[in-house]
Amino acid sequence: MKVMVIGSGGREHAIVDALTRSPSVREIVCTPGNPGVAALARCIGSSQEPQALADLAMQEAVDLVIVGPEGPLAAGVVDVISARGIPVFGPSRAAARLEGDKAWSKAFMVRHNVSTARFRSFGALGPALAYVSVQPLPLVVKDAGLRAGKGVTICTNMDQAWVALRSIFVEAGASAVVEEFMRGQEVSVLAFADGMRAVQMLAAQDHKTIYEHDQGPMTGGMGVICPYPLGEADKQTIQKTILAPVMRGMAAEGTPFAGVLYAGLMLTPQGPQVVEFNARFGDPEAQALLPLLTGDLAQIALSCASGTLDPAQVTFAGGASAVVVLAAPGYPGAPEPGQPLTLPVTGPDVRIFQAGTAMQGGQLVSAGGRVLAVQASAETLPLALGKVYDLLPEIGFEGAQFRRDIGARIGLQPEPA
């Protein structure tokens, strides 16, 4: 089949890379793509508005569309393309609200008895400030809208909470969620979903803050280990008390969920609790997960879109995968673009996924906040981490920010190959 991928980041580079290993795929196009994607697929410049993307899918006569980022999903691209008769992998606009509106999502969890932190939602600054003033610390302040993983502040004092809330309510129509701080290991459990069932992928652990030891502001993700050592009992609990109720609840409310259901979880002493849901592959979780996928991604996506997913389609290789992200100077504030990049030749078990890159006068340069995601596969997580960290000195990227402690949260240390 001919597949069109929507998006331009490291996640989409990983999706395209996985599609090159799909026996059912004969051609891949990507819009807008990036220089790394261009080595694997034909990149097409296009408006990213839903109608324009639907027109492009029709012009290209594609058999399947895979939507990478949350923005087009929230804008309803799946609805528009589906109306043209083309299968699309991703949730409808109504179902994508599970990610796009955190206040709605938290209320949904309450309606369907899905365990999450205690919270309050606010549509105005005054009541929110009054509420946090009498809450125990630490607490978490979240922008209820889409912020690419950066709209979350863990507040250890009231000044931080007030600053976070004021930054959210600068925009008209903004809303915020204030919730209790949960303690435990944070884990990402992604599942392929077809509107009725959710089939878990390997568990992963992202590292969200910019600095080591989980310090500094939140980012979209600075590194991943996969698989996270999640016990079988926890997997079953997550399926029974989180994923299955969400799938039933979304269907019961007339918005069945198809695509990737991403459950960001905290493994608390009381059991797994939801931090938040996303409605697509995580970035950089996709860069860690997809290199281990042995099932045919295109066929899985088509089955999800048609409501016919068979759990037997979802298979992964043994071993482990690790990712370390290289971010631009200034990120997550104002990243400095235009840094020249030099990438080494890599072996079969190492990949450099491009996220924020561009070609400038024949030179590959940085063009975003998170610029590269370096991934390696190996028999064990320490070996995979060792491969990644061994490669980093060979990458030419002056001033790059990266964390040297990916995996340390569960006691992992890189092991030289």
PDB file of all heavy atoms in Angstrom, residues 27 50 64 68 91 132 154 173 175 203 235 245 322 325 330 345:
ATOM      1  N   GLU A  27       5.177   2.364  -0.961  1.00  0.00           N
ATOM      2  CA  GLU A  27       5.620   3.752  -1.115  1.00  0.00           C
ATOM      3  C   GLU A  27       5.205   4.552   0.112  1.00  0.00           C
ATOM      4  O   GLU A  27       4.127   4.335   0.667  1.00  0.00           O
ATOM      5  CB  GLU A  27       5.001   4.380  -2.372  1.00  0.00           C
ATOM      6  CG  GLU A  27       5.506   5.789  -2.659  1.00  0.00           C
ATOM      7  CD  GLU A  27       4.910   6.397  -3.922  1.00  0.00           C
ATOM      8  OE1 GLU A  27       4.151   5.702  -4.636  1.00  0.00           O
ATOM      9  OE2 GLU A  27       5.204   7.577  -4.190  1.00  0.00           O
ATOM     10  N   PRO A  50      -6.537  20.744   7.972  1.00  0.00           N
ATOM     11  CA  PRO A  50      -7.190  19.478   7.632  1.00  0.00           C
ATOM     12  C   PRO A  50      -7.647  19.364   6.182  1.00  0.00           C
ATOM     13  O   PRO A  50      -7.410  18.327   5.533  1.00  0.00           O
ATOM     14  CB  PRO A  50      -8.373  19.421   8.607  1.00  0.00           C
ATOM     15  CG  PRO A  50      -7.873  20.155   9.820  1.00  0.00           C
ATOM     16  CD  PRO A  50      -7.050  21.276   9.258  1.00  0.00           C
ATOM     17  N   LEU A  64      -3.554   4.784   2.986  1.00  0.00           N
ATOM     18  CA  LEU A  64      -3.589   4.926   4.439  1.00  0.00           C
ATOM     19  C   LEU A  64      -2.880   6.214   4.813  1.00  0.00           C
ATOM     20  O   LEU A  64      -1.853   6.568   4.228  1.00  0.00           O
ATOM     21  CB  LEU A  64      -2.874   3.738   5.102  1.00  0.00           C
ATOM     22  CG  LEU A  64      -2.630   3.793   6.610  1.00  0.00           C
ATOM     23  CD1 LEU A  64      -3.948   3.708   7.383  1.00  0.00           C
ATOM     24  CD2 LEU A  64      -1.690   2.669   7.047  1.00  0.00           C
ATOM     25  N   GLY A  68       0.882  11.952  12.876  1.00  0.00           N
ATOM     26  CA  GLY A  68       1.850  11.954  13.958  1.00  0.00           C
ATOM     27  C   GLY A  68       1.527  12.912  15.091  1.00  0.00           C
ATOM     28  O   GLY A  68       1.306  12.496  16.228  1.00  0.00           O
ATOM     29  N   PRO A  91      -7.227   9.265  16.266  1.00  0.00           N
ATOM     30  CA  PRO A  91      -8.570   9.499  16.786  1.00  0.00           C
ATOM     31  C   PRO A  91      -9.268  10.673  16.093  1.00  0.00           C
ATOM     32  O   PRO A  91      -8.620  11.580  15.573  1.00  0.00           O
ATOM     33  CB  PRO A  91      -8.327   9.806  18.265  1.00  0.00           C
ATOM     34  CG  PRO A  91      -6.960  10.403  18.290  1.00  0.00           C
ATOM     35  CD  PRO A  91      -6.181   9.703  17.217  1.00  0.00           C
ATOM     36  N   VAL A 132      -5.036  27.403  45.190  1.00  0.00           N
ATOM     37  CA  VAL A 132      -3.675  26.921  45.471  1.00  0.00           C
ATOM     38  C   VAL A 132      -3.143  27.494  46.775  1.00  0.00           C
ATOM     39  O   VAL A 132      -2.282  26.888  47.426  1.00  0.00           O
ATOM     40  CB  VAL A 132      -2.699  27.231  44.305  1.00  0.00           C
ATOM     41  CG1 VAL A 132      -3.172  26.581  43.017  1.00  0.00           C
ATOM     42  CG2 VAL A 132      -2.492  28.720  44.116  1.00  0.00           C
ATOM     43  N   ILE A 154       5.692  21.527  38.314  1.00  0.00           N
ATOM     44  CA  ILE A 154       5.657  20.947  39.655  1.00  0.00           C
ATOM     45  C   ILE A 154       6.083  22.048  40.620  1.00  0.00           C
ATOM     46  O   ILE A 154       7.218  22.550  40.556  1.00  0.00           O
ATOM     47  CB  ILE A 154       6.583  19.732  39.757  1.00  0.00           C
ATOM     48  CG1 ILE A 154       6.107  18.628  38.796  1.00  0.00           C
ATOM     49  CG2 ILE A 154       6.622  19.206  41.197  1.00  0.00           C
ATOM     50  CD1 ILE A 154       7.062  17.467  38.679  1.00  0.00           C
ATOM     51  N   GLY A 173      -9.590  32.706  27.238  1.00  0.00           N
ATOM     52  CA  GLY A 173     -10.176  31.377  27.075  1.00  0.00           C
ATOM     53  C   GLY A 173      -9.352  30.251  27.646  1.00  0.00           C
ATOM     54  O   GLY A 173      -9.699  29.076  27.486  1.00  0.00           O
ATOM     55  N   SER A 175      -7.616  27.670  30.374  1.00  0.00           N
ATOM     56  CA  SER A 175      -8.069  26.976  31.577  1.00  0.00           C
ATOM     57  C   SER A 175      -6.900  26.204  32.155  1.00  0.00           C
ATOM     58  O   SER A 175      -5.930  25.909  31.461  1.00  0.00           O
ATOM     59  CB  SER A 175      -9.251  26.049  31.280  1.00  0.00           C
ATOM     60  OG  SER A 175      -8.896  25.067  30.324  1.00  0.00           O
ATOM     61  N   ALA A 203       6.190  -1.159  27.714  1.00  0.00           N
ATOM     62  CA  ALA A 203       6.221  -0.001  28.610  1.00  0.00           C
ATOM     63  C   ALA A 203       7.539   0.748  28.434  1.00  0.00           C
ATOM     64  O   ALA A 203       8.583   0.148  28.144  1.00  0.00           O
ATOM     65  CB  ALA A 203       6.059  -0.453  30.058  1.00  0.00           C
ATOM     66  N   LYS A 235       0.762  -4.797  34.533  1.00  0.00           N
ATOM     67  CA  LYS A 235       0.234  -4.731  33.161  1.00  0.00           C
ATOM     68  C   LYS A 235      -1.250  -5.088  33.139  1.00  0.00           C
ATOM     69  O   LYS A 235      -2.057  -4.430  32.472  1.00  0.00           O
ATOM     70  CB  LYS A 235       1.010  -5.673  32.242  1.00  0.00           C
ATOM     71  CG  LYS A 235       2.449  -5.277  31.988  1.00  0.00           C
ATOM     72  CD  LYS A 235       3.132  -6.314  31.102  1.00  0.00           C
ATOM     73  CE  LYS A 235       4.613  -6.044  30.963  1.00  0.00           C
ATOM     74  NZ  LYS A 235       5.309  -7.090  30.170  1.00  0.00           N
ATOM     75  N   PRO A 245     -11.449   0.594  30.708  1.00  0.00           N
ATOM     76  CA  PRO A 245     -12.499   1.571  31.023  1.00  0.00           C
ATOM     77  C   PRO A 245     -12.494   2.797  30.112  1.00  0.00           C
ATOM     78  O   PRO A 245     -13.557   3.348  29.798  1.00  0.00           O
ATOM     79  CB  PRO A 245     -12.195   1.960  32.472  1.00  0.00           C
ATOM     80  CG  PRO A 245     -11.454   0.806  33.041  1.00  0.00           C
ATOM     81  CD  PRO A 245     -10.634   0.277  31.900  1.00  0.00           C
ATOM     82  N   ALA A 322      17.115   2.323  23.914  1.00  0.00           N
ATOM     83  CA  ALA A 322      17.321   3.548  24.689  1.00  0.00           C
ATOM     84  C   ALA A 322      17.446   4.732  23.745  1.00  0.00           C
ATOM     85  O   ALA A 322      17.939   4.595  22.620  1.00  0.00           O
ATOM     86  CB  ALA A 322      18.569   3.433  25.561  1.00  0.00           C
ATOM     87  N   VAL A 325      18.022  12.468  23.852  1.00  0.00           N
ATOM     88  CA  VAL A 325      17.682  13.612  23.006  1.00  0.00           C
ATOM     89  C   VAL A 325      18.756  14.685  23.120  1.00  0.00           C
ATOM     90  O   VAL A 325      19.221  14.997  24.228  1.00  0.00           O
ATOM     91  CB  VAL A 325      16.308  14.188  23.404  1.00  0.00           C
ATOM     92  CG1 VAL A 325      16.047  15.533  22.724  1.00  0.00           C
ATOM     93  CG2 VAL A 325      15.203  13.189  23.062  1.00  0.00           C
ATOM     94  N   GLY A 330      19.352  26.990  24.839  1.00  0.00           N
ATOM     95  CA  GLY A 330      18.194  27.838  25.108  1.00  0.00           C
ATOM     96  C   GLY A 330      16.903  27.093  25.330  1.00  0.00           C
ATOM     97  O   GLY A 330      15.954  27.649  25.898  1.00  0.00           O
ATOM     98  N   VAL A 345      28.186   8.089  10.511  1.00  0.00           N
ATOM     99  CA  VAL A 345      27.571   6.874   9.979  1.00  0.00           C
ATOM    100  C   VAL A 345      27.305   5.935  11.148  1.00  0.00           C
ATOM    101  O   VAL A 345      28.143   5.781  12.041  1.00  0.00           O
ATOM    102  CB  VAL A 345      28.490   6.201   8.944  1.00  0.00           C
ATOM    103  CG1 VAL A 345      27.894   4.879   8.472  1.00  0.00           C
ATOM    104  CG2 VAL A 345      28.729   7.137   7.766  1.00  0.00           C
TER     105      VAL A 345
END
